[in-house]
Amino acid sequence: FQRAAAGLRPQALVRDIADKRTRLNELAGRVDAAERRALRDKQRHLEQVAARLSGLDPKSVLKRGFSIVRGPDGAIARGAAALGAGDVVEMEFADGKRSATVRDGAASSGGDESAKRKPDAKREKKTAKRSDQQGALF
């Protein structure tokens, strides 16, 4: 016991306690910095997930000019074949809802409606110019 007590000099103990207190303060500062960095990383990740989720929100799709059509049973009509003539549908737009009655119950065969339209005059002129080898100046 005397041997152990001889090694316990007050100055050595005070210096040892001061060194350990300094080390403890350094470690506490590192822990605080690590917590702040982890919190920033989690916040950034949360913002990224929220942005992706917002892009999937049907309301953001409506803002781009699309609509959601619901059939008479309230279910989303995923195609023309889901609706028949006389069905009352509800159309949801970004700025509100409207109801309508389906007049033509015949579903399209999947053909492109734009192909059935008449070509516009500008497009016809451009095509006509290209077909001539030498265009007129006037």
Side-chain angles (χ1 to χ4, degrees):
F1 177 74
Q2 296 223 355
R3 221 181 202 185
L8 299 176
R9 295 183 311 266
Q11 297 88 1
L13 289 174
V14 168
R15 191 172 350 118
D16 190 42
I17 289 171
D19 290 345
K20 290 188 178 178
R21 181 175 287 136
T22 301
R23 177 74 177 141
L24 180 64
N25 288 336
E26 289 171 3
L27 292 173
R30 288 175 61 187
V31 166
D32 286 345
E35 285 178 337
R36 283 191 302 272
R37 189 173 39 254
L39 186 60
R40 270 195 318 266
D41 291 346
K42 294 291 183 187
Q43 175 104 20
R44 192 174 308 123
H45 179 70
L46 181 61
E47 289 168 358
Q48 290 170 349
V49 169
R52 275 189 250 145
L53 185 60
S54 175
L56 296 174
D57 180 13
K59 298 292 183 187
S60 66
V61 175
L62 297 177
K63 289 177 186 173
R64 294 194 310 256
F66 293 92
S67 65
I68 298 173
V69 178
R70 296 182 188 279
D73 60 353
I76 294 175
R78 300 192 186 279
L83 302 172
D87 284 350
V88 176
V89 296
E90 182 179 81
M91 300 173 296
E92 182 177 352
F93 301 93
D95 62 347
K97 296 179 181 180
R98 294 284 188 254
S99 63
T101 303
V102 176
R103 286 197 274 172
D104 181 9
S108 171
S109 62
D112 185 11
E113 290 296 317
S114 63
K116 296 176 186 174
R117 281 189 257 146
K118 291 194 294 186
D120 65 24
K122 286 183 182 179
R123 190 170 291 156
E124 284 181 11
K125 283 183 182 180
K126 286 181 182 179
T127 307
K129 262 188 196 177
R130 282 190 222 127
S131 64
D132 297 335
Q133 290 299 330
Q134 179 76 35
L137 287 176
F138 298 102

